[in-house]
DNA sequence: CGCGGCTTTGATGTTCATCAAGTAAAGTGG
DNA sequence: CCACTTTACTTGATGAACATCAAAGCCGCG
């Protein structure tokens, strides 16, 4: 099956989008085209804010590629990171359906691309197409549960256990490699695991001393996976 | 509009159920009746487990009244409480839609009643009726976000702030009163806020000494709401 | 090249967990 | 109903875990 690129858009590939299967698989071709017409693809460069807490929700945002962090800033100014995640997850698009404004902020940790589709159109399609809605429920549920589980995992560990867990998270869930460049600062790790950045750094130093990791700035190599897993488990 | 109680059921009140508006408002009368036929109303007495982590999900459970805690037990045997909530929230029914087994456990803190409806019937109705599905999405989203927000609030506070926050939570969100009977043990509060029970108790004692609360066993009276709010905020 | 932000390390003090022992309360079986 | 057992609660003492503060080095950026 072939399709023609609309002349007024650089990319209009919903029909062939590799992410289509995640949620939009149950839409008819006609509806997919409507979405395609209405959508806007926005690129965010590393560090850019995608949306902020309190901002009015106008569209449903679907992360195509990149890496983002979902977070909240308290009155006192410090940041709490809720999750760091790749496209398959929905992230902030949970409260899209029951609130007027975003409750959390979202920003790009790597260059990212998001599809923005008017929220009313999505709601209309959900209402019209139960299969699509059931699909959406499935994806939203998974996302929420992953966030909740991540939190439970973190909160049951001590400092070293949390740092180990986060390193394993990046290695196993984000980069699929023993060697990777951390997408976040030490302070952001601290904000994710609710510890002070000084102690996160100290823990890195210990891991280095004990031959568990090698690190040079943001480049990390896990040299003793087993030990790291043990620390994560008992911590 | 009147309805007749089916002879083979003690209660079959879906049409007039006071909770209908929350999710089932968009179902036709015919579908409501199907649900009504299929559903089973189960009572749980205080302390009883409604479902456990790992159990196969057979039905969609809808809390009619009571109070429940959602929690998880780690390999080491200690409990992490995720949330404590009243009927309007869905609680465990998130992973109903994307997993075979429950990821968390649910138990009754007060005598509770749940409607159990076969999950396949619910899925069928969601698929058939987009309005119903959109409704469901709204409720599920709200529930998830409340859990996530609760967690963020707790994790940004210190011991005293967490205890104050939890007391205000019970007072303001669960019992709507300055005076109430705690539905949980000191240890359960500890499991909710990730602190040791000894320190939770110590904090209670301090609050009592400082004239912030009066407490006799599980009966709590908040005597200085303002001070408690200040502790919760700055904690 | 100089400024500001991130990182690192050490020193210090606070917060919190843990252990232990004792008390109250609540269920259990005779 | 009482003796018994168990579980929840309470308090103190101790040490470990962690935050905070401060100073110095590093790196990137204008």
């Amino acid at each position: 099956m072939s399709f023609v690129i609309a002349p007024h858009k650089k990319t209009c590939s919903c029909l062939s989008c590799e992410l289509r299967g995640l949620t939009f698989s149950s839409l008819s071709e006609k509806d997919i085209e409507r979405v395609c017409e209405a959508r806007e693809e926005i690129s965010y460069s590393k560090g850019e804010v995608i949306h902020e807490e309190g901002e009015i929700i106008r569209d449903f945002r679907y992360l195509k590629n990149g890496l983002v962090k979902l977070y909240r800033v308290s009155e006192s100014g410090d940041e709490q990171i809720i999750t760091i995640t790749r496209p398959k997850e929905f992230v902030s698009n949970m409260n899209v359906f029951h609130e007027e404004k975003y409750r959390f902020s979202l920003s790009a940790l790597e260059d990212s691309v998001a599809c923005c589709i008017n929220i009313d159109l999505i709601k209309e399609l959900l209402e019209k197409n139960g299969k699509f809605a059931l699909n959406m429920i499935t994806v939203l549920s998974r996302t929420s549960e992953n966030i909740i589980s991540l939190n439970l995992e973190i909160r049951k560990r001590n400092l070293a256990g949390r740092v180990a867990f986060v390193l394993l998270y990046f290695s196993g869930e984000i980069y699929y490699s023993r060697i990777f460049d951390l997408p976040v600062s030490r302070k952001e790790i601290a904000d994710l695991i609710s510890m002070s950045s000084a102690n996160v750094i100290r823990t890195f130093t210990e891991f280095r001393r004990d031959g568990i990791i090698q690190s040079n700035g943001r480049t990390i190599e896990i040299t003793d996976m087993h030990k790291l897993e043990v620390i994560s488990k008992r911590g």
Side-chain angles (χ1 to χ4, degrees), chain A:
Chain A
M1 187 185 304
S2 73
F3 72 100
V4 179
I5 294 173
H8 60 292
K9 296 226 177 175
K10 259 174 277 165
T11 55
C12 184
S13 52
C14 294
L15 267 173
S16 67
C17 177
E18 74 272 24
L19 294 177
R20 186 183 165 191
L22 277 178
T23 338
F24 294 91
S25 62
S26 40
L27 286 182
S28 68
E29 293 213 357
K30 213 178 106 230
D31 284 337
I32 280 277
E33 261 161 43
R34 277 188 69 195
V35 167
C36 217
E37 292 278 312
R39 87 182 168 68
E40 213 180 330
E41 202 170 296
I42 305 186
S43 298
Y44 299 91
S45 44
K46 187 177 164 158
E48 218 173 321
V49 173
I50 298 173
H51 63 67
E52 260 178 305
E53 188 189 341
E55 217 172 274
I56 301 238
I57 300 170
R58 294 189 200 290
D59 38 40
F60 179 87
R61 296 189 188 183
Y62 194 100
L63 188 66
K64 275 193 72 173
N65 52 65
L67 185 71
V68 295
K69 73 169 174 185
L70 184 68
Y71 64 102
R72 204 174 67 164
V73 180
S74 72
E75 313 86 52
S76 43
D78 33 37
E79 202 168 296
Q80 292 181 287
I81 297 183
I82 299 162
T83 190
I84 291 173
T85 189
R86 285 237 177 264
K88 39 181 185 181
E89 302 289 332
F90 266 97
V91 180
S92 83
N93 287 309
M94 283 175 300
N95 66 0
V96 151
F97 296 108
H98 73 282
E99 270 177 13
E100 231 200 353
K101 299 173 176 180
Y102 288 106
R103 231 199 249 198
F104 307 125
S105 303
L106 187 68
S107 77
L109 292 176
E110 294 174 357
D111 293 353
S112 299
V113 177
C115 274
C116 303
I117 307 159
N118 184 284
I119 183 66
D120 294 321
L121 172 59
I122 293 290
K123 281 186 180 170
E124 185 199 321
L125 294 175
L126 287 169
E127 226 173 285
K128 240 180 43 191
N129 184 338
K131 248 197 179 84
F132 176 46
L134 187 52
N135 229 325
M136 181 71 80
I137 287 177
T138 303
V139 179
L140 290 176
S141 300
R142 194 185 354 256
T143 298
S144 311
E145 284 220 339
N146 284 345
I147 291 176
I148 293 168
S149 293
L150 176 67
N151 245 276
L152 288 174
E153 291 303 321
I154 288 173
R155 81 182 227 211
K156 80 177 176 196
R157 290 171 164 80
N158 63 16
L159 172 60
R162 289 181 190 189
V163 173
F165 178 82
V166 167
L167 289 175
L168 291 170
Y169 179 77
F170 283 121
S171 167
E173 315 272 326
I174 306 285
Y175 294 108
Y176 312 107
S177 166
R178 254 176 357 90
I179 306 176
F180 54 89
D181 278 8
L182 274 177
V184 289
S185 68
R186 311 288 194 255
K187 182 177 174 314
E188 282 171 309
I189 293 179
D191 291 339
L192 174 61
I193 66 176
S194 302
M195 295 276 163
S196 72
S197 61
N199 278 330
V200 169
I201 289 164
R202 246 183 285 271
T203 308
F204 270 77
T205 309
E206 277 169 32
F207 286 177
R208 222 180 299 119
R209 258 208 320 261
D210 298 346
I212 298 171
I213 62 169
Q214 279 191 306
S215 75
N216 182 7
R218 292 201 175 185
T219 305
I220 302 284
E221 179 182 356
I222 299 175
T223 47
D224 192 338
M225 190 61 88
H226 179 65
K227 228 182 242 175
L228 199 59
E229 280 163 354
V230 169
I231 292 172
S232 171
K233 277 217 170 157
R234 77 155 156 62

